[in-house]
Amino acid sequence: QDPTAAHYMFQDDPFLMPRNAANSRLFALSKESGRNAAKYIIKQFPQYFDKTFAEPNVSCLMPEALTPQIEGVSEEALKERIHLRRVKDSVDLFDQLVQAGTPVSLETTNSLLDLLCFYGDGESTPEKNEEEKEDLKEPKVNASEQKAPTRPFQRGSQSSSPRWRENNNAERIFKIMPERNAHSYCTMIRGMVKHGASAKAYDMYIDLLNERHKADVHTFNALITAVPYLKERFLERWELAKVFLNHMAQQGVQPNLLTFNALLKMLRRCGGLGRSMSLLVIKEMEALDIEPSLATYDHLLFIFYRGVDLCPSGIISEVLDDVEKRTFTPQDPDDGMDFYIADNCCDLKDITLAYRLNKAIEKGDNWKFLDVDRLNAYWSKFFSLLCMMEQIDVVLKWYKEMSPSLFYPTPKNILDLLQALDAANHLEVIPSVWEDMKQLGFNRRQDLLEELLSLMSREQHPEEIQLAFAKCAEDIKAVHEQTGREQALLEWTGSALGHVVLLFSRAGRTQDAWYVNMMERFQQINRIPTEQVMHEFLNCAKQTNCPDEAIKLVKLAASFGLPSSQRLKSRMEKEFELSEKQK
Amino acid sequence: PPSPQTRAARVRVGKGDKPVTYEKAHAPHYIAHRKGWLSLHTGNLAGELSAAERAVEDAFLRRFLYGTFPGILADEVVLKRRANLLVVCAVLARGLAPAKLYFLVGYAETLLSHFYKCPVRLELQTVPTKVVYKYL
C-alpha cells in the first residue's frame, strides 16, 4: 500500500489530493453530490438514456422505470403500485377499490399494510436527499437485504422517522379489513415499534394474543426493542423482556441472532442489572448455536465498559479472541459499531490489544465495517495510544506510514506526537512536524503553537537545529501578524512572544528579535518579558556586537520598572564598551 | 489553390505572440512520429466493427467535456478504451476549487456511464496554466 497516496476515490493529483480530514470529507461528499445530480438528470429525462444498444443489456445503467404501467382500478394495479413503493397512490387505489366494492385479497392487503408500516405513512423517497456517506456502506446494506426478509433500508440511517400519527392510513385500513391474520397483526406491531408508538404496539400484541394468533420472530424482536420505551425501571424492563421470551417459547418461535442483539441493546439501558444478565444471554446464544455478530460484542462492551465505575474484566480479551478467529459478515444493522471495540481498547491503554485489533481489521472483509469518518477516528485513537505507549522510532514509523494516506491527524494527535518526541528527546524532528501542521491547517491553533514554541525554546540546541527552529518561529510570527480578510487576528500571548524572542536570539538574529520585541507589542498585550528572555537577548546582542540594541533593551526594562533592570544595566556596563553618550 | 491537405490541423505562423500547445503546434503528418493519438480503440483493426460509432462517441465526449469544464480544459482530451471501460484523461487548469472539480467529475462519470452503458472513468491532471510549447 502506498503510504503517500490518498484514498483511491480521489484523483491522483497534488492539487486535487485532500490534505486534512475536513478536505477529504468535503471532496468525497462533493463527488457524491455530483453523482446525485447526474442521477437526477437521468430520472428527469429518461427518454435520452433508454436506448438499449449494449449486448447484453446492462440493467443498472438504464433509467429506472418508476411509473406504474397498469392503469385503471384493479387489484393488479394495486399490486404494482405497492411493488413500486408508491405509498400515496396505493392507498388511494385501495380506497377506490373498497368503495367500488371489489374485494381485495388478503395477501394484497397484507402487502399494503407492510408498505404502510415500513414507511410510516410518509412517502418513500424523501424530497431532500440526506447526505450519503460513501459507498462503503453499500455492501453492508446489500447483505442485510439478504438476511432480513422485509424491505431493505432505503438509505441506511433512519434518524428522522416520522411519528406514528393517530388513525393514520395503516390503522384505518387495518380496522376496515374484514379478516385479519397473524401477518397483519405482526406488520402493524412492527410498524408501530419502528415509528415510536410502543404503547400501541403492546396493545396490538395483546389483541393478537386474544385472537389466538402466533407472532413470528421479527415481531418479537420488535417488541423487545420497544421494551425500554414501555417501562422505566430496570427490573421491570427485564421482567417484561422475560415475559416476551416466555411467550416466544410457548408459541414455538425460534429466537435468532437479532433477538439476542435486541435483548442486549435493551440491556444497555439497564445499568448494573445489564451486566449480570448479559452473560446469561450470551450463554443462551451459545447453547442455541447462534454465532454472535459484531453488534453483539459491541453491546457487551458497552454494557461492561461504559458504566461509571469501570471495573476491568477480562471480557475484552475474550471478545478479541473471538473477533480474531472469524471473519464477519454484516448481519445486523448495528454492525457498524466495530469502532466501540477500538474505543475501549484505547481507553484501557493496552497496546497489545490494539495491535491484535488492527490485524483483525485487515483480515478478510472486516474493513467494510468502518466507513471513512469512523476510520479516521479509529486511527486517531490508535495513534494516540501508540504515542503514549511505544518507543519513538515505532511511533515515527507509524506516523510516516499512516498519514496522509490512512488517516489525517487530529490536533490531539499532533500534541501527543510532540509530547512523545519530547519524552524521547528527539526535538530535531519538530520542524518537519511544523510543516505537517501547516499542511493540515493547524497553524492557527493556539494550544499547538504554545506547545511547539515552548518545546523549541526550552534548552539550547546545536547550531543547525537552532536555525531550523528560528525559521519555524518566523513562520509562527507571520501567522500571528497576518491580517487576513476573513481570519481573526491571533493574539500574541506573553509566553509565545517570549519564546519567539528566545529562539531568534539564540540563532543570532538580533534584528528580528528586536523587531519582535518592540515596545508597543509588549505593551499591547500588557505582558512583561521574562528575565531569561532579556538575558538571552543580551547574549545575542553581545555576539553580534550591537550595543544599540542592548541599550534599547535596558531602556525597555527600566520603563517596565523591573527589578532585573539593575542587573541588566550592570551587566551591560561590564560586557560592552560603551561610549559616554551611550552611558 | 490551397488544397485541404495543406491546411488541415495546422496553426499558421503569425507574429510570435500566439501561445500554442504541443498538440496544436504539430501538423497531422507528425502523428506517430512526434504526436500520439488522441483516441485509442480497436475499431480500426482488421476484422473489427463499429469504428464509426467510436468516432461519433469521441466527438460527443469532447464536446460534452468542453462544456462541463468550462474554460479550464488545458489540452485536448485523450480517450482510451480498454475492453468495456472508457478512460477519459483530461488535463485541467487550476481554475476551480477542488471540491467543485470533484462535483463535476462525479457528475460526468455517472452521466456518461448511463449514456453509453459502459463504465466511464475520469482521470484528471491539473496544471497551473496551459502548457505552452511555442509562440507562433
Side-chain angles (χ1 to χ4, degrees), chain A residues 336-357:
Chain A
M337 312 264 191
D338 180 36
F339 174 59
Y340 268 131
I341 308 184
D343 210 10
N344 287 318
C345 277
C346 303
D347 281 338
L348 290 176
K349 303 192 187 347
D350 193 344
I351 188 79
T352 42
L353 280 180
Y355 278 135
R356 281 167 69 190
L357 185 62

mmCIF file of all heavy atoms in Angstrom, chain A residues 336-357:
data_model
loop_
_atom_site.group_PDB
_atom_site.id
_atom_site.type_symbol
_atom_site.label_atom_id
_atom_site.label_comp_id
_atom_site.label_asym_id
_atom_site.label_seq_id
_atom_site.Cartn_x
_atom_site.Cartn_y
_atom_site.Cartn_z
ATOM 1 N N GLY A 336 -22.120 -1.769 12.400
ATOM 2 C CA GLY A 336 -21.033 -0.838 12.097
ATOM 3 C C GLY A 336 -20.332 -0.307 13.315
ATOM 4 O O GLY A 336 -19.573 0.638 13.247
ATOM 5 N N MET A 337 -20.585 -0.905 14.444
ATOM 6 C CA MET A 337 -20.060 -0.353 15.680
ATOM 7 C C MET A 337 -18.778 -1.023 16.116
ATOM 8 O O MET A 337 -18.439 -0.989 17.277
ATOM 9 C CB MET A 337 -21.086 -0.509 16.797
ATOM 10 C CG MET A 337 -22.427 -0.052 16.376
ATOM 11 S SD MET A 337 -22.686 1.599 16.894
ATOM 12 C CE MET A 337 -24.386 1.785 16.596
ATOM 13 N N ASP A 338 -18.135 -1.611 15.206
ATOM 14 C CA ASP A 338 -16.842 -2.223 15.481
ATOM 15 C C ASP A 338 -15.924 -1.239 16.177
ATOM 16 O O ASP A 338 -15.031 -1.589 16.915
ATOM 17 C CB ASP A 338 -16.249 -2.637 14.132
ATOM 18 C CG ASP A 338 -14.918 -3.282 14.282
ATOM 19 O OD1 ASP A 338 -14.734 -3.993 15.246
ATOM 20 O OD2 ASP A 338 -14.091 -3.062 13.401
ATOM 21 N N PHE A 339 -16.220 -0.015 15.907
ATOM 22 C CA PHE A 339 -15.446 1.067 16.457
ATOM 23 C C PHE A 339 -15.399 1.047 17.965
ATOM 24 O O PHE A 339 -14.423 1.474 18.573
ATOM 25 C CB PHE A 339 -16.101 2.356 15.960
ATOM 26 C CG PHE A 339 -15.516 3.577 16.540
ATOM 27 C CD1 PHE A 339 -14.178 3.850 16.371
ATOM 28 C CD2 PHE A 339 -16.283 4.452 17.235
ATOM 29 C CE1 PHE A 339 -13.631 4.979 16.883
ATOM 30 C CE2 PHE A 339 -15.743 5.591 17.753
ATOM 31 C CZ PHE A 339 -14.419 5.862 17.588
ATOM 32 N N TYR A 340 -16.476 0.569 18.584
ATOM 33 C CA TYR A 340 -16.502 0.599 20.041
ATOM 34 C C TYR A 340 -15.407 -0.257 20.627
ATOM 35 O O TYR A 340 -14.838 0.050 21.664
ATOM 36 C CB TYR A 340 -17.844 0.099 20.565
ATOM 37 C CG TYR A 340 -18.814 1.206 20.762
ATOM 38 C CD1 TYR A 340 -20.091 1.130 20.273
ATOM 39 C CD2 TYR A 340 -18.430 2.335 21.438
ATOM 40 C CE1 TYR A 340 -20.972 2.157 20.450
ATOM 41 C CE2 TYR A 340 -19.307 3.369 21.616
ATOM 42 C CZ TYR A 340 -20.575 3.283 21.126
ATOM 43 O OH TYR A 340 -21.434 4.297 21.293
ATOM 44 N N ILE A 341 -15.131 -1.353 19.944
ATOM 45 C CA ILE A 341 -14.056 -2.215 20.431
ATOM 46 C C ILE A 341 -12.764 -1.423 20.430
ATOM 47 O O ILE A 341 -11.987 -1.435 21.381
ATOM 48 C CB ILE A 341 -13.944 -3.460 19.530
ATOM 49 C CG1 ILE A 341 -15.279 -4.133 19.387
ATOM 50 C CG2 ILE A 341 -12.903 -4.388 20.074
ATOM 51 C CD1 ILE A 341 -15.203 -5.412 18.607
ATOM 52 N N ALA A 342 -12.559 -0.711 19.335
ATOM 53 C CA ALA A 342 -11.345 0.086 19.235
ATOM 54 C C ALA A 342 -11.295 1.122 20.348
ATOM 55 O O ALA A 342 -10.277 1.292 21.016
ATOM 56 C CB ALA A 342 -11.320 0.776 17.890
ATOM 57 N N ASP A 343 -12.414 1.778 20.526
ATOM 58 C CA ASP A 343 -12.515 2.803 21.537
ATOM 59 C C ASP A 343 -12.111 2.266 22.900
ATOM 60 O O ASP A 343 -11.324 2.854 23.640
ATOM 61 C CB ASP A 343 -13.978 3.237 21.596
ATOM 62 C CG ASP A 343 -14.078 4.663 22.015
ATOM 63 O OD1 ASP A 343 -13.028 5.314 22.052
ATOM 64 O OD2 ASP A 343 -15.191 5.085 22.295
ATOM 65 N N ASN A 344 -12.681 1.119 23.228
ATOM 66 C CA ASN A 344 -12.415 0.557 24.539
ATOM 67 C C ASN A 344 -10.974 0.138 24.696
ATOM 68 O O ASN A 344 -10.374 0.313 25.747
ATOM 69 C CB ASN A 344 -13.348 -0.635 24.787
ATOM 70 C CG ASN A 344 -14.742 -0.145 25.037
ATOM 71 O OD1 ASN A 344 -14.923 0.828 25.737
ATOM 72 N ND2 ASN A 344 -15.704 -0.809 24.446
ATOM 73 N N CYS A 345 -10.424 -0.419 23.633
ATOM 74 C CA CYS A 345 -9.000 -0.785 23.691
ATOM 75 C C CYS A 345 -8.181 0.413 24.077
ATOM 76 O O CYS A 345 -7.303 0.344 24.938
ATOM 77 C CB CYS A 345 -8.511 -1.219 22.306
ATOM 78 S SG CYS A 345 -8.870 -2.868 21.918
ATOM 79 N N CYS A 346 -8.465 1.505 23.409
ATOM 80 C CA CYS A 346 -7.621 2.664 23.633
ATOM 81 C C CYS A 346 -7.862 3.260 25.001
ATOM 82 O O CYS A 346 -6.946 3.778 25.621
ATOM 83 C CB CYS A 346 -7.891 3.698 22.554
ATOM 84 S SG CYS A 346 -7.628 2.991 20.967
ATOM 85 N N ASP A 347 -9.081 3.158 25.473
ATOM 86 C CA ASP A 347 -9.310 3.671 26.816
ATOM 87 C C ASP A 347 -8.552 2.862 27.836
ATOM 88 O O ASP A 347 -8.100 3.373 28.849
ATOM 89 C CB ASP A 347 -10.806 3.601 27.155
ATOM 90 C CG ASP A 347 -11.540 4.753 26.503
ATOM 91 O OD1 ASP A 347 -10.863 5.745 26.192
ATOM 92 O OD2 ASP A 347 -12.751 4.638 26.309
ATOM 93 N N LEU A 348 -8.441 1.590 27.584
ATOM 94 C CA LEU A 348 -7.771 0.736 28.548
ATOM 95 C C LEU A 348 -6.266 0.817 28.449
ATOM 96 O O LEU A 348 -5.558 0.227 29.234
ATOM 97 C CB LEU A 348 -8.179 -0.716 28.329
ATOM 98 C CG LEU A 348 -9.604 -1.034 28.701
ATOM 99 C CD1 LEU A 348 -9.879 -2.462 28.328
ATOM 100 C CD2 LEU A 348 -9.800 -0.829 30.165
ATOM 101 N N LYS A 349 -5.763 1.518 27.472
ATOM 102 C CA LYS A 349 -4.323 1.729 27.329
ATOM 103 C C LYS A 349 -3.557 0.417 27.190
ATOM 104 O O LYS A 349 -2.511 0.218 27.781
ATOM 105 C CB LYS A 349 -3.753 2.486 28.530
ATOM 106 C CG LYS A 349 -4.439 3.809 28.758
ATOM 107 C CD LYS A 349 -3.673 4.613 29.730
ATOM 108 C CE LYS A 349 -4.375 5.877 30.126
ATOM 109 N NZ LYS A 349 -5.479 6.314 29.373
ATOM 110 N N ASP A 350 -4.101 -0.424 26.384
ATOM 111 C CA ASP A 350 -3.427 -1.697 26.206
ATOM 112 C C ASP A 350 -2.999 -1.808 24.757
ATOM 113 O O ASP A 350 -3.815 -1.943 23.871
ATOM 114 C CB ASP A 350 -4.399 -2.821 26.574
ATOM 115 C CG ASP A 350 -3.672 -4.125 26.720
ATOM 116 O OD1 ASP A 350 -2.530 -4.220 26.248
ATOM 117 O OD2 ASP A 350 -4.242 -5.030 27.312
ATOM 118 N N ILE A 351 -1.698 -1.788 24.554
ATOM 119 C CA ILE A 351 -1.228 -1.676 23.169
ATOM 120 C C ILE A 351 -1.286 -3.011 22.445
ATOM 121 O O ILE A 351 -1.540 -3.093 21.246
ATOM 122 C CB ILE A 351 0.204 -1.078 23.147
ATOM 123 C CG1 ILE A 351 0.588 -0.779 21.716
ATOM 124 C CG2 ILE A 351 1.190 -2.031 23.754
ATOM 125 C CD1 ILE A 351 0.017 0.457 21.213
ATOM 126 N N THR A 352 -1.120 -4.088 23.176
ATOM 127 C CA THR A 352 -1.156 -5.390 22.503
ATOM 128 C C THR A 352 -2.539 -5.657 21.959
ATOM 129 O O THR A 352 -2.716 -6.154 20.842
ATOM 130 C CB THR A 352 -0.781 -6.517 23.474
ATOM 131 O OG1 THR A 352 -1.432 -6.253 24.708
ATOM 132 C CG2 THR A 352 0.706 -6.587 23.655
ATOM 133 N N LEU A 353 -3.552 -5.284 22.751
ATOM 134 C CA LEU A 353 -4.907 -5.444 22.266
ATOM 135 C C LEU A 353 -5.117 -4.652 20.984
ATOM 136 O O LEU A 353 -5.761 -5.115 20.045
ATOM 137 C CB LEU A 353 -5.900 -4.951 23.321
ATOM 138 C CG LEU A 353 -6.208 -5.888 24.472
ATOM 139 C CD1 LEU A 353 -7.198 -5.236 25.384
ATOM 140 C CD2 LEU A 353 -6.739 -7.185 23.958
ATOM 141 N N ALA A 354 -4.551 -3.457 20.971
ATOM 142 C CA ALA A 354 -4.751 -2.607 19.797
ATOM 143 C C ALA A 354 -4.108 -3.221 18.565
ATOM 144 O O ALA A 354 -4.683 -3.197 17.475
ATOM 145 C CB ALA A 354 -4.181 -1.219 20.056
ATOM 146 N N TYR A 355 -2.928 -3.803 18.743
ATOM 147 C CA TYR A 355 -2.289 -4.447 17.591
ATOM 148 C C TYR A 355 -3.112 -5.611 17.093
ATOM 149 O O TYR A 355 -3.272 -5.836 15.895
ATOM 150 C CB TYR A 355 -0.893 -4.929 17.963
ATOM 151 C CG TYR A 355 0.151 -3.851 17.896
ATOM 152 C CD1 TYR A 355 1.088 -3.699 18.897
ATOM 153 C CD2 TYR A 355 0.200 -2.983 16.816
ATOM 154 C CE1 TYR A 355 2.041 -2.717 18.836
ATOM 155 C CE2 TYR A 355 1.144 -2.006 16.755
ATOM 156 C CZ TYR A 355 2.069 -1.873 17.763
ATOM 157 O OH TYR A 355 3.009 -0.904 17.688
ATOM 158 N N ARG A 356 -3.653 -6.380 18.042
ATOM 159 C CA ARG A 356 -4.449 -7.534 17.621
ATOM 160 C C ARG A 356 -5.680 -7.071 16.863
ATOM 161 O O ARG A 356 -6.082 -7.662 15.864
ATOM 162 C CB ARG A 356 -4.864 -8.324 18.854
ATOM 163 C CG ARG A 356 -3.764 -9.203 19.379
ATOM 164 C CD ARG A 356 -4.092 -9.717 20.745
ATOM 165 N NE ARG A 356 -5.185 -10.653 20.726
ATOM 166 C CZ ARG A 356 -5.789 -11.097 21.818
ATOM 167 N NH1 ARG A 356 -5.405 -10.677 22.990
ATOM 168 N NH2 ARG A 356 -6.780 -11.950 21.744
ATOM 169 N N LEU A 357 -6.261 -5.991 17.377
ATOM 170 C CA LEU A 357 -7.445 -5.492 16.692
ATOM 171 C C LEU A 357 -7.108 -5.033 15.290
ATOM 172 O O LEU A 357 -7.868 -5.257 14.348
ATOM 173 C CB LEU A 357 -8.017 -4.331 17.503
ATOM 174 C CG LEU A 357 -9.316 -3.786 16.962
ATOM 175 C CD1 LEU A 357 -10.364 -4.847 16.993
ATOM 176 C CD2 LEU A 357 -9.745 -2.603 17.771
#
